[in-house]
Each structure stands twice: as structure tokens, then as C-alpha cells.
Amino acid sequence: MVFLAAKATTADEPRFVVLGETVFDRMTGLEWEKAPSFQGVAWWEQALAHCIGKGSGWRLPNVKELVSIVDYPGEQGKGVHNCWWYDVFEGYCTYYWSSTPVPWSSASAFNVNFYGGGPGLGDVGNYGGVRCVRAGQ
């Protein structure tokens, strides 16, 4: 797993910049889909294939990248619509797939629960949300 080092931002330079249908994260250098591709209706293998199929470097984020957009209470304190992600993102508050498989189980992958705000394990045959990411353009 690769996790990008955080970059400093200032009050004059917000962490997230909305670029139409995407959101650029100045701290990680990642560009995210503003609204998810799927909201709780994709299996893990579908999620992986969908993001890669978008082309232009899009992929399913690893679990550390996905956790980086969790807005834990006390950080920003915004928790939009009871979702624990920053207020620049849209979509249903649900579990979202990461690309990170569970090493001890070929039937599981890591996901992030944006209703409860933390990582967990999901059966790859269950449904989850999909929010694709790529290196900033």
C-alpha cells in the first residue's frame, strides 16, 4: 500500500479544491470524484474494473487513501448530512470499497464506512459504494 505524505495548507489555501465534477486534495495530491460512481450497488470486482475502465489514471483508492477523506468529529466538525466526509463530497452515506484486499481472506476487502467513519472488512460478494481517485492532474 502506498500512502502519500501530507502537504501543508494554509487558511488562504483550502485543502480541497472543487474542479467541476472532481475534487483535488492539496494534502495528498489526489483527485477524487466529487460524486461517487456507484452508491452502494457494486461488488468489489465491479468497483475495481469500473474505476480502471474510466481511463486517464482513474483507479479504486486503497484503504489509507479512502480514510484520508474521512472527516472525523473534532477535525473539521462538518459531518455533512450525518456523513463523515468533508463537505465538498456528495453521495449517499454508506460503505465504500477500497482496492485493498484482506491478506488473510480471499473473500474480503477493506472498505470505509462513511456513516460511522472508519475502515472495516467487507465480503467481496456484498455491495458497496465506489468513489474513484487518480493522481492530481
Side-chain angles (χ1 to χ4, degrees), residues 108-128:
S108 301
F110 286 96
N111 59 30
V112 174
N113 176 358
F114 283 96
Y115 185 75
L121 308 177
D123 182 311
V124 296
N126 288 339
Y127 290 124

Side-chain angles (χ1 to χ4, degrees), residues 56-118:
S56 299
W58 287 104
R59 60 183 173 75
L60 196 62
N62 69 44
V63 69
K64 289 182 179 182
E65 291 167 337
L66 198 53
V67 167
S68 79
I69 63 170
V70 173
D71 182 12
Y72 290 104
E75 284 188 14
Q76 295 295 317
K78 294 178 182 170
V80 180
H81 310 295
N82 295 322
C83 285
W84 289 7
W85 56 46
Y86 291 88
D87 61 356
V88 295
F89 296 103
E90 300 172 354
Y92 292 130
C93 193
T94 187
Y95 291 88
Y96 284 82
W97 285 119
S98 83
S99 63
T100 310
V102 174
W104 58 88
S105 171
S106 62
S108 301
F110 286 96
N111 59 30
V112 174
N113 176 358
F114 283 96
Y115 185 75

Side-chain angles (χ1 to χ4, degrees), residues 19-43:
L19 305 170
E21 299 297 315
T22 65
V23 175
F24 178 70
D25 183 346
R26 291 178 193 259
M27 282 184 63
T28 63
L30 296 173
E31 185 177 0
W32 295 88
E33 290 181 309
K34 182 176 179 180
S37 291
F38 296 100
Q39 302 183 101
V41 297
W43 297 302

